[in-house]
Structures are given as C-alpha cells and as structure tokens.
Amino acid sequence: MNFVCSERNGKVTPFGKHGRLHVDGRHLVDENGEVVALHGISTHNLNYYPEYVNEEAFTQFADEYGVDIMRLAMYTQTADDVPGYADTDDEGRRKLEELMLTGVRICASLGIYCIVDWHILFDYNPKMNEDMSAKFWNSMALRLRDYDNVIFEICNEPNMNTETGDKATWDDIRDYAHHIIDVIRDIDETKVIIVGTPIWSQRVDDAADNPLEYDNIMYTLHFYADSHKDELRGRMKYAIDKDLPIFVTEFGICDASGNGPVNDAETDIWLKELEANDISYVIWNLSNKDETSAILKPECDKINNFTSDDLSPCGERMVRIMTKFK
Ligand code: IDC
C-alpha cells in the first residue's frame, strides 16, 4: 500500500511525477530512472516550534513556492531549554512521534517528499543516544512503511565536545549507522537513508574514503554560506569525484550560528555548484526566531497564510530560490 497523493486539484504532484526514489551511483533517481534533485525547507526544532506543522502552511510552500520536500527536524537532546526526544519522558516521546507523523501525513496528502530527521547536535556523537535512536527508528520504520515519500536522516550533525575536544569520528558514525540501518531495513527495505558526516556534516571526504556497504544510502553535507566556502566546496568535489551520493539536508545563507550577515555571493556559488551536480538541498529554518536564518520576521506571529511582508530577508531569498523549480 502507498498513502502518498499523486494528483491534487487536477495536477500531478511531485510524488506523482517521480514516485518512490532510490539511489543510483551518486544520484537520487526516480521510478522512471530519471535523476532527481529536490528543494525544500527545514523546520526549526519541532519540539520548540510544533505549531508550524500545519496543513495550510505546507500547502502554501508546495503550491506557491514550489517546495517538493519538507524536512522535519526533531532535536534529540535539550536545546533552547526545550527537551529533546531522548531526554524527555515517555509522554513527550509519544507526542513527538505523533507530531512527526502529522508532518509526514500532510506531506503525503500534498504529494511532496519529506525527511524525518534525528537531529543530534549537543549530543555530538550519535552513539550517545544510540539505544533511544534504535527505539525511535524501529517505531518510525513500522509506522511509515506505507509512506513512499519519506526519507530517513539518522544523525543530523555528528560533531565534537567543544570543551574536551572529543570528536565523533567516521568510524563511530559507521558503527552507529550499521546498527540503525539494520533496525530500519529489518522492517522496510525501501527507504532512502541519509547518514551524517563528521564535524557538523562537513567531512563528506571521510565518507567517500570509506562508504557504507548498503544500497540506497546518501551522505549529509551542510554549509552556511558566510562561514563555509572554498575549502568545504573542495571536500564536496572530492566526494563527488569518488561518486558519493550527497544530500544537503540543511544550508544557511548566513553564518554557522544561524545568525550573522546574509552572504548572497557565496550562496550563489554554492547553489550553482549543487545544481550543476544535481544535489538536493533544503534551507534552514521555518520559524520567526530573531535570527538571520529564520524565514519569517520575528514580529510575524502567523503560522500559515504568509504574505511577502511576513518574510525575513532569508525568507525572501528562499522564495526566489524555490520558485525557480516550480
Ligand atoms: C540553531 C538554531 C538556533 C538554535 C540552535 C541550538 O538556528 O535557533 O538556538 O540551533 O538549537 C546547525 C544545526 C542547527 C542549528 C544551525 C544554526 O543543525 O540545529 O540551528 N546549524 O546554528 N548546523 C550548522 C548550523
């Protein structure tokens, strides 16, 4: 069974056009064997901003902006004083799973794709919450078996403990990925699974040197245009030359804090390279937080039916980027 809508209001949806996706060589490929690149928006922390997961908002993103993928970012540990999946209680976890499912169902009804994101950040090594992760992915794999529009992202950004300098290595991530991919594939063999890379998902070169042995796997690259430039693009090129399938599940047009100045020139260079290489990308973030990367102005308290007046400079840029693909 498949619960994803192929036609809406007399129009073929992105899912209707592409169907279930798989990975071939370094590309994401559709049911007709055509290479696909998806473009969309990431939520901020779902635990923090659950209200933006609503049908009207996602419908506007799909219909007006031409977004064909939404990323549902669920933090795994406390951030901004809001508990994550791993450090809340059972009731908190139940609610987060329901919210995730609501987001997936909305995307399915719109016929767009969506990423379920296990958003590690302060838990810098994915092994820190590995048991909880296995529990979450077992549940998601079971509950989302009939949703062919879903992609699983199993560890947002492995990184480092800035106090001790202890880093999550590619070997740690590989080890974790083997465990979690097996948990998922025991239930569902079809989902594309995206694996984070070391140093805030910037070391795609490490993954390219020693990729996982499974099919249908992609690797995360994240960039923030005002912080990450030629050096990171060099690592991307290295990985592309080694045929590594890359997915940019998060990028910012500002600096790596999610704040700071907008860097249009570097954003242009990045997006041109991604497009030339058919790499999918998703912009950070859907919220009205008082920070550059939020697509809504801080004074916008609406949760849908946004007008151009509600959009921040990042939101305006997002609309220009997304509507190109409409
Ligand atoms: C940032 C948010 C900010 C929040 C912070 C901690 O923009 O509001 O206070 O996280 O939760 C990432 C992360 C992403 C970050 C983003 C900007 O994946 O969670 O969001 N960023 O710092 N990697 C590089 C940058």
Side-chain angles (χ1 to χ4, degrees):
M1 225 187 317
N2 164 45
F3 292 161
V4 192
C5 187
S6 292
E7 222 187 279
R8 245 183 82 236
N9 305 332
K11 278 197 194 149
V12 178
T13 64
F15 185 84
K17 184 167 171 208
H18 300 297
R20 186 201 286 158
L21 306 176
H22 65 279
V23 180
D24 188 2
R26 66 167 195 82
H27 289 114
L28 197 54
V29 172
D30 73 10
E31 254 171 31
N32 314 308
E34 304 282 335
V35 169
V36 197
L38 302 171
H39 307 96
I41 304 172
S42 176
T43 68
H44 194 290
N45 182 2
L46 277 190
N47 330 8
Y48 190 1
Y49 290 106
E51 63 274 24
Y52 292 111
V53 179
N54 69 81
E55 193 166 347
E56 293 81 358
F58 286 18
T59 303
Q60 181 178 17
F61 301 154
D63 291 352
E64 197 176 315
Y65 306 156
V67 159
D68 55 18
I69 187 163
M70 288 298 298
R71 178 184 191 232
L72 305 166
M74 185 195 70
Y75 279 53
T76 49
Q77 243 175 242
T78 296
D80 300 301
D81 296 327
V82 183
Y85 185 93
D87 59 9
T88 184
D89 55 14
D90 283 344
E91 178 56 12
R93 280 187 272 280
R94 193 192 62 75
K95 282 193 181 148
L96 282 171
E97 288 197 19
E98 285 310 316
L99 184 61
M100 192 58 97
L101 253 74
T102 302
V104 169
R105 287 195 196 104
I106 295 172
C107 292
S109 71
L110 295 168
I112 63 172
Y113 294 87
C114 90
I115 297 176
V116 173
D117 166 30
W118 179 256
H119 200 90
I120 66 164
L121 192 63
F122 299 113
D123 39 345
Y124 63 95
N125 190 323
K127 297 190 71 62
M128 286 167 67
N129 285 314
E130 185 167 338
D131 289 347
M132 202 52 100
S133 171
K135 189 173 132 79
F136 173 76
W137 288 111
N138 174 273
S139 170
M140 286 297 117
L142 284 168
R143 301 179 80 179
L144 299 178
R145 215 176 348 200
D146 292 323
Y147 289 88
D148 285 345
N149 61 329
V150 172
I151 295 175
F152 287 159
E153 182 176 7
I154 62 172
C155 49
N156 167 48
E157 290 185 354
N159 59 87
M160 64 191 279
N161 181 324
T162 40
E163 272 158 37
T164 64
D166 184 36
K167 291 186 179 111
T169 64
W170 178 236
D171 281 344
D172 294 333
I173 301 164
R174 276 182 65 95
D175 204 53
Y176 164 84
H178 281 138
H179 177 188
I180 302 303
I181 294 168
D182 285 345
V183 166
I184 296 168
R185 292 278 156 89
D186 273 352
I187 299 163
D188 181 343
E189 290 180 0
T190 65
K191 297 269 188 296
V192 170
I193 299 176
I194 309 178
V195 183
T197 58
I199 307 296
W200 292 274
S201 284
Q202 292 169 36
R203 298 308 305 240
V204 280
D205 50 334
D206 286 355
D209 286 340
N210 190 13
L212 293 155
E213 301 82 9
Y214 298 83
D215 291 334
N216 279 329
I217 303 293
M218 301 188 86
Y219 299 84
T220 316
L221 174 73
H222 286 173
F223 70 87
Y224 280 74
D226 198 50
S227 302
H228 312 120
K229 303 174 184 175
D230 281 338
E231 191 184 352
L232 186 54
R233 284 191 290 270
R235 285 188 216 138
M236 174 169 82
K237 179 161 191 322
Y238 177 90
I240 290 172
D241 288 345
K242 291 203 153 187
D243 235 13
L244 191 82
I246 293 175
F247 201 124
V248 175
T249 57
E250 191 183 299
F251 77 94
I253 67 172
C254 52
D255 74 24
S257 70
N259 219 337
V262 168
N263 192 327
D264 274 320
E266 284 292 328
T267 301
D268 288 344
I269 302 174
W270 269 110
L271 298 187
K272 206 168 150 209
E273 285 207 18
L274 298 182
E275 287 158 23
N277 289 291
D278 298 305
I279 296 177
S280 302
Y281 57 76
V282 174
I283 193 166
W284 184 259
N285 72 73
L286 168 56
S287 78
N288 68 345
K289 195 167 179 188
D290 191 4
E291 60 180 6
T292 315
S293 59
I295 63 173
L296 301 169
K297 286 180 182 159
E299 58 272 25
C300 168
D301 55 10
K302 297 186 205 164
I303 57 165
N304 49 41
N305 293 312
F306 306 113
T307 65
S308 49
D309 274 353
D310 298 322
L311 299 174
S312 67
C314 175
E316 288 170 6
R317 182 75 211 255
M318 177 280 293
V319 172
R320 288 204 301 280
I321 295 168
M322 297 300 153
T323 45
K324 275 195 316 200
F325 303 103
K326 237 178 119 176

